[in-house]
Amino acid sequence: MDGQGRALRTRRALIQAAAEVFAEEGFVHASLRAISERAGVSSGALHFHFAHKGALAEAVEAEAAEVVRSIIRAAPGRSGDVLQTVVDATHALMHHLAQDAVACAGFELAGDISRRANSPLRGEWHWIEESLREAERSGTLVEGVSAADAARIIVVATTGLQVLGSADARWLSAHNITRFWELVLPRLAAEHCRDRLVCAGSRPRAAPPRRPPAPTDLPA
C-alpha cells in the first residue's frame, strides 16, 4: 500500500476509534490516548491527522452527515410516492444509527452542549420538510395537515429515537419505527394513497457497516 493509502486508512481508523470512544465516554471525558490506542496508532500519527480532540469530533460528525446525505440522495429513487420515500428514509436512518458507530456518535456529538449550541448535522434531516411540501402540493397529505407540522412530528420522533437509542439500542429497531408509522401515517396520508404505503419500509436493508458489539441485555 502506498503512503497515501496508508494515511487514508490511518485517518479512517482514527475516526472509527474516536466514534467508539466518544460513544462510550462522552466528548469531555474521552482522551486522545484512548483513541490512539483503540485505533492502534501512535499519538504522533493521531496529531499528524488531527490537531486536537475537537477536530476529531468534527470529523466524526462530518462522516455522520455524509451518511444522512447518502440516505437523502438515495430516497427519491426508491418510490414514486413521496410519503413512502420519507418512510423508507427514516428506516434507513434508524438502521445506520443502530449499526454504525460513526453515525451514532456523530448525532450524539451534535447534541453535546459542551461543544456548541448548533450543529450542521441535524440540519441535514430538514430534507423531510421539503419532501412533505412536495406531498402537500401533490395532494397526498390529508387536507388540513401542513407539511411543516408533519415534518416537526417526524423530526421530533426520529430525534427522540436517536437520543434514546444511544443508551438502549432497542429504540432504534425496525419494529419501533414501523409502529410509529402505523400510528402516524393514517393521520398524514390522504385516503386514496394509504393502501399502497408500507409502514415497514419498501426497500431491503443495506449491509450493515462495521460497528462495536451491541449490548445483549437490552430490555424488551
Side-chain angles (χ1 to χ4, degrees), residues 17-219:
E20 295 172 6
V21 174
F22 288 148
E24 293 167 8
E25 301 181 16
F27 175 75
V28 171
H29 298 292
S31 71
L32 292 177
R33 179 179 178 181
I35 293 169
S36 63
E37 289 178 353
R38 180 75 63 95
V41 304
S42 67
S43 295
L46 185 154
H47 285 288
F48 175 81
H49 289 279
F50 301 100
H52 48 75
K53 187 167 66 172
L56 258 172
E58 289 171 5
V60 171
E61 200 172 338
E63 290 279 336
E66 180 54 35
V67 168
V68 176
R69 286 192 289 270
S70 69
I71 291 170
I72 292 170
R73 285 194 298 267
R78 289 177 169 177
S79 167
D81 193 301
V82 177
L83 289 177
Q84 186 65 59
T85 65
V86 172
V87 172
D88 291 349
T90 58
H91 274 280
L93 178 63
M94 294 302 112
H95 177 63
H96 278 280
L97 290 174
Q99 301 293 333
D100 185 350
V102 174
C104 185
F107 273 87
E108 288 185 42
L109 289 165
D112 190 333
I113 60 173
S114 69
R115 295 184 59 239
R116 60 173 175 264
N118 268 324
S119 165
L121 174 56
R122 294 194 186 278
E124 299 285 350
W125 206 229
H126 289 168
W127 161 84
I128 286 179
E129 183 169 352
E130 298 172 15
S131 298
L132 290 174
R133 290 193 186 282
E134 183 180 340
E136 188 175 39
R137 289 191 294 269
S138 66
T140 52
L141 281 185
V142 169
E143 187 176 353
V145 173
S146 75
D149 288 343
R152 289 189 192 100
I153 292 170
I154 297 166
V155 170
V156 166
T158 52
T159 299
L161 288 172
Q162 176 265 312
V163 171
L164 292 166
S166 65
D168 179 347
R170 281 292 294 272
W171 286 102
L172 302 172
S173 70
H175 171 78
N176 278 342
I177 194 68
T178 297
R179 290 291 294 137
F180 165 76
W181 283 115
E182 287 173 347
L183 292 169
V184 171
L185 265 184
R187 303 297 301 271
L188 297 183
E191 187 173 359
H192 66 84
C193 67
R194 287 176 197 163
D195 289 345
R196 66 174 181 261
L197 297 174
V198 183
C199 294
S202 65
R203 301 288 291 183
R205 295 186 190 180
R210 180 188 169 198
R211 61 164 298 186
T216 57
D217 56 348
L218 298 173

